[in-house]
Each structure stands twice: as C-alpha cells, then as structure tokens.
Amino acid sequence: MSGVVRTGGVLLATLPPLPTDQALRELANSVLVEVDRGGECRLVVDASKLEVVDVFFAEGLVQLARSAQILGCEVALAGVPAGAALVLSALGSDLAGVRAFRSVEHALNAPD
Amino acid sequence: MSLYTVLMNHRSEIRVGWLEQLLADSELGSIGEVVLGDLIDELFRHIALAPEDTDGDALARRAISFSRRAYSHNLDGRQTAALILQLKRPLFNVLDEAEADSERLWEVLEFVDGLALEVLSRRIEYLNDLAEAQRQEVLQLSTPVVHLWDGVLLMPLIGTMDSVRSAAALETLLEGVEESGAEVAILDISGVPTVDAEVGRRLIRAASAVRLMGAEMYISGVSPRIASTIVTLGVDLSEVKTTSTLARGLRRALERLGLQVMRVAAQ
C-alpha cells in the first residue's frame, strides 16, 4: 500500500515494503504535485513498512526530501525500521534537516 | 584373503605386537597398558563390523569412530594418529611371506595412513566446530539490551570490540529500539579497553541510524584513553552525544524525557 493522503495540514506519504525505482518516482511526483497545490506544508513520510533498502532507494528518498524542502515543506520521517535505518546510515544518506520520529503518530503529535 | 580377513585372523597376534611397541614408545608408553589395550580392542570391534571384502581405504573410514574412545581417554589428535601409525610394523609382521606382495603391502599402508589422516581431520573439524560455537556464544553473551527506564534502553559492552562483535551488538541495539519504541538508547563502553577506527565509525553510523528511527543514542563510559584514541584516529564523534559515566548518560536521558530525580524528605 502506498500513496499520498492529506490529513489536516499534513501530507502523509506511505512507502511500500519493497519500493521499486518506479514506485518511488511516482510517489515523489504525487507528493510534489500535492505540495504545489499550496496550503500549509508539512510532509510526513511513513517508512514503517520498509523492508528492503538499497542505494538507489536511498538516493530517491534524499531527492524526495530535498525537493519538498525546496518547495518550503518541513519534512519528517516516521517509523524507519532498524534494518533500513542501518543501511541508510551506512550509505551515508544525507537526510540533514529531516526530523525523524518513532511512528506516524509521534510525527503527527509533535510540536512544530 | 582380504585385509579384513588378515586383520581378524591375526588379531591377537597383532594386539600383542602393537601393544608391546606402544609401551616401548617414549611418548605413548606413558598412557598405560590398560588404556592402550582398550583402544586396540575398540578399533578391532569397529573393523569386525565392516563387510569382509572392504578394501583398506574404506576400512579406514569405517574404523574412524574408534577415535571417539581415544578422545574420551584424553588423548589428543597427535597421540591418536601416532598410535595408529605404530600399527604398521605389527601388521607387516603377521603377513605371510607369500601374502606380502606389493599389492598387499600397499593396501596395509593405505589403511593405516588413511586412518591416521581421518583421525586428524576429524579432530580439526571438531575443534573448528567448537571454536565457532564458542564464538557464537561470546557474541550472544556480549550483547544484552537492558530496559533501564520507560523509554530508555541500555547496552553495556564489555571486552575488546572487533568489527564482527560491534556490528552484532549495534544491530541488537537497533532492534531493541525498534521493538520497545525507546526514545533514548545508551551504549555504555566502560568495559571496553580500546576501540579502533573501524569500530569508531560503526558507532557513528549506529548513532545516525538511531536518529533516523526517531530516537537518540548516547555513548557513556568513554574513558580518557578511548577519548584520546578517537581523536588520534581522526574519527569525528561530534554528532554523537557522549558522556564520561553511565550515571551522567542516564541523567541526560531522563532530562530528554522531561523527568527529574528528586530526594524525598526523610520520614
């Protein structure tokens, strides 16, 4: 299950368990379209279902976060599993400026 | 006549000759007649179970189980192999003039050498398995995750960290954070004498992984020696929160959770 949902002032993007390059690109596109539509912008990327992470995915994720930030969005990652977190940090993915939360719930309840 | 028949027909003769020779040996003699005799009997018991037409090489593979008895008598691999090799002369002695053609001698050599080789290779295999099992045990022993407070995990590391141990430990810590949903993970390295550059980099990677999971990792128990090693190695620990003692690490963790420890007025 993947997709973009707008709840309140938050854009919630869910990553599928095994994201292909194609799927990630499509998700990024829908996110950016939603962001562009205007309004308040807070993007929460739900990574709790992630199972497999590789270097291409890591790059795609960094690009998604960067582009959203350029459009003025505050970006948060939620529920990254241990294995994926280890791979992302081993790849040296530059997710500076991206806040991380233990779960989507934590991300939604976090103070600005 | 097969080698099997020769061995079985002349077993008492071989036993006497073999035992005599072993007892005269400077190294094996001290093992004593009782144990040596028992080992010889055990070997013949295994040979007797083989089919009659088994050739020397195959006979050696069947007889190998006898080595278990040798190890239960506390002989080491070298002693057991030396004991086997001493079988050549008594075996040659019982071969009739007519029987002792080159083919037969060859078979005897194949049997004795083959058995000695099997003894040693089984022993090496056993020791390798043992070493591996102990390594696994140490890996498990060294990585307990302790639930220190609601939302605070502690992993105390003890002993020298190599890259395998540190990788396993950090993986366990991350899984602990994922399962418990902890907000702070404290890695206490009070019991670690020294770290190398590789382990230092791993610590940083683990800290950034923990951050990606929405939690935070502190390293406590950094000794002055490790601190100067880290600086000398050029590992940049500035992104990781470190404290000198575990107590300070815990205090920091409680602060992050918005908790305070207070002395209750004496009753």
Side-chain angles (χ1 to χ4, degrees), chain A residues 77 80-83 85-86 88-90 95 98 100-102, chain B residues 171 174-175 178 181-183 205 208-209 211-215:
Chain A
L77 258 179
V80 180
L86 207 52
L88 285 174
S89 64
L95 288 164
V98 175
F101 295 92
R102 281 171 284 159
Chain B
E171 212 167 289
L174 290 185
E175 278 162 15
E178 185 183 325
E183 208 164 314
R205 240 181 274 158
S208 79
R211 196 189 72 84
L212 278 176
M213 295 169 69

Side-chain angles (χ1 to χ4, degrees), chain B residues 84-143:
Chain B
I84 302 289
L85 291 171
Q86 297 264 16
L87 171 60
K88 279 179 190 166
R89 186 178 290 279
L91 202 47
F92 280 9
N93 286 343
V94 300
L95 294 172
D96 295 338
E97 291 289 317
E99 279 282 341
D101 58 16
S102 62
E103 209 37 52
R104 169 52 44 90
L105 290 176
W106 188 247
E107 200 184 356
V108 168
L109 285 176
E110 245 184 359
F111 168 66
V112 175
D113 292 344
L115 189 52
L117 193 62
E118 284 282 321
V119 162
L120 285 178
S121 61
R122 293 286 176 95
R123 189 62 176 171
I124 291 169
E125 217 171 274
Y126 165 76
L127 292 174
N128 282 345
D129 289 350
L130 194 68
E132 177 58 27
Q134 281 172 345
R135 209 176 58 83
Q136 290 295 339
E137 210 162 297
V138 169
L139 276 182
Q140 283 167 8
L141 279 179
S142 61
T143 55

Side-chain angles (χ1 to χ4, degrees), chain B residues 12 24 36 39 85 103 118 126 163 169 199 216 219 246 251 265:
Chain B
S12 50
L36 290 172
L39 289 176
L85 291 171
E103 209 37 52
E118 284 282 321
Y126 165 76
S163 57
V199 173
E216 201 162 4
I219 300 178
L246 176 56
R251 183 175 303 170

Side-chain angles (χ1 to χ4, degrees), chain B:
Chain B
M1 259 205 302
S2 67
L3 177 62
Y4 174 89
T5 323
V6 176
L7 282 163
M8 294 321 285
N9 286 354
H10 298 278
R11 61 173 185 273
S12 50
E13 220 176 317
I14 295 172
R15 188 184 193 281
V16 172
W18 195 6
L19 196 53
E20 206 169 89
Q21 197 177 315
L22 290 174
L23 289 171
D25 187 280
S26 58
E27 194 190 340
L28 298 170
S30 59
I31 294 169
E33 192 173 343
V34 180
V35 172
L36 290 172
D38 177 61
L39 289 176
I40 292 172
D41 294 340
E42 176 76 4
L43 179 60
F44 276 109
R45 262 198 294 280
H46 283 286
I47 292 172
L49 294 172
E52 284 196 21
D53 55 351
T54 320
D55 70 13
D57 205 23
L59 202 57
R61 283 198 298 276
R62 286 186 149 264
I64 180 64
S65 323
F66 116 95
S67 62
R68 246 179 266 144
R69 177 79 70 129
Y71 301 135
S72 74
H73 281 304
N74 286 327
L75 271 71
D76 61 23
R78 193 193 123 80
Q79 285 172 316
T80 314
L83 180 143
I84 302 289
L85 291 171
Q86 297 264 16
L87 171 60
K88 279 179 190 166
R89 186 178 290 279
L91 202 47
F92 280 9
N93 286 343
V94 300
L95 294 172
D96 295 338
E97 291 289 317
E99 279 282 341
D101 58 16
S102 62
E103 209 37 52
R104 169 52 44 90
L105 290 176
W106 188 247
E107 200 184 356
V108 168
L109 285 176
E110 245 184 359
F111 168 66
V112 175
D113 292 344
L115 189 52
L117 193 62
E118 284 282 321
V119 162
L120 285 178
S121 61
R122 293 286 176 95
R123 189 62 176 171
I124 291 169
E125 217 171 274
Y126 165 76
L127 292 174
N128 282 345
D129 289 350
L130 194 68
E132 177 58 27
Q134 281 172 345
R135 209 176 58 83
Q136 290 295 339
E137 210 162 297
V138 169
L139 276 182
Q140 283 167 8
L141 279 179
S142 61
T143 55
V145 177
V146 184
H147 188 123
L148 200 57
W149 201 272
D150 277 347
V152 183
L153 289 185
L154 165 69
M155 174 177 270
L157 294 180
I158 291 167
T160 308
M161 296 314 276
D162 57 19
S163 57
V164 177
R165 259 196 83 188
S166 58
L170 294 172
E171 212 167 289
T172 311
L173 181 65
L174 290 185
E175 278 162 15
V177 171
E178 185 183 325
E179 273 165 33
S180 66
E183 208 164 314
V184 180
I186 303 178
L187 191 69
D188 184 63
I189 58 170
S190 311
V192 178
T194 182
V195 295
D196 60 16
E198 169 67 18
V199 173
R201 275 191 289 272
R202 262 176 212 283
L203 292 178
I204 294 173
R205 240 181 274 158
S208 79
V210 170
R211 196 189 72 84
L212 278 176
M213 295 169 69
E216 201 162 4
M217 183 172 114
Y218 301 159
I219 300 178
S220 73
V222 182
S223 64
R225 190 178 156 181
I226 288 189
S228 65
T229 309
I230 286 172
V231 173
T232 313
L233 290 171
V235 177
D236 182 13
L237 270 185
S238 59
E239 284 175 32
V240 185
K241 296 203 167 74
T242 52
T243 62
S244 55
T245 63
L246 176 56
R248 287 195 188 148
L250 177 61
R251 183 175 303 170
R252 252 196 177 169
L254 293 177
E255 271 167 20
R256 188 189 144 107
L257 293 172
L259 296 171
Q260 216 174 8
V261 180
M262 283 175 16
R263 186 184 298 278
V264 181
Q267 305 249 321

